[in-house]
Amino acid sequence: IDGARWVASQGWADGRRVGVAGASFGGFLAVLALSRPETPFVAAASVGGAFDLERWLRETRRREAAFVAETQRVWLLGPERPDPGSLRIPVQSVRRPVLLLHAEDDGTVESAQSVELAAALGAVGTAVELVRLNAGGHSIGTADQREGVWTR
């Protein structure tokens, strides 16, 4: 948020046209940034985002060794156990457009996370577009899909 403001203050970007994008945990942060009242961003895009981190960590523990799952939790969230509510997107506070991209074969974050966020955002009247890619894993998809996605 501060970086976007600084870039605009330097005249390097039109502050009325700055969006934010991220992948995986960065996708969570991109959409979360839209929920902040002081956000300078006009839209967000997420690739393979995990939007319910508590659920994602539970799912990770089922498929990964306990050490890996705990390391991921500490790396992402710090040593303290955060309030579970802080591990989800506050959909009622997101009022700017969101683009969600998710590959069905993502083995790191289930595509259901993006599907469910899209439904929740739509239910509160937020403009949202969900692009479901057939393949691509925990990425933006195949080389052919990448070109088409960003030229929408």
Side-chain angles (χ1 to χ4, degrees), residues 20-34 44-57 60 63 71-78 80 82-89 100-102 106 108-110 113-114 117 138-139:
V20 61
S24 194
F25 185 62
F28 171 85
L29 294 175
V31 177
L32 184 65
L34 292 187
S46 168
V47 177
F51 302 107
D52 181 338
L53 295 178
E54 183 178 36
R55 184 172 105 201
W56 179 78
L57 287 166
T60 299
R63 71 173 186 274
T71 301
Q72 288 173 330
R73 185 194 66 75
V74 171
W75 180 75
L76 290 172
L77 306 173
E80 302 298 320
D83 169 32
S86 70
L87 303 178
R88 292 183 202 89
I89 297 293
L100 302 171
L101 303 115
H102 216 123
D106 187 333
T108 304
V109 177
E110 292 181 0
Q113 292 245 358
S114 288
L117 180 64
H138 193 57
S139 169

Side-chain angles (χ1 to χ4, degrees), residues 31 89 91 94-95 98 100 116-128:
V31 177
I89 297 293
V91 294
V94 177
R95 292 310 205 196
V98 176
L100 302 171
E116 291 164 13
L117 180 64
L121 289 170
V124 297
T126 299
V128 60

Side-chain angles (χ1 to χ4, degrees), residues 12-27:
W12 297 340
D14 180 346
R16 298 165 298 172
R17 299 178 58 197
V18 176
V20 61
S24 194
F25 185 62

Side-chain angles (χ1 to χ4, degrees), residues 56-72:
W56 179 78
L57 287 166
R58 277 193 318 269
E59 292 167 354
T60 299
R61 284 189 195 104
R62 281 197 300 270
R63 71 173 186 274
E64 303 284 349
F67 171 77
V68 172
E70 184 62 14
T71 301
Q72 288 173 330

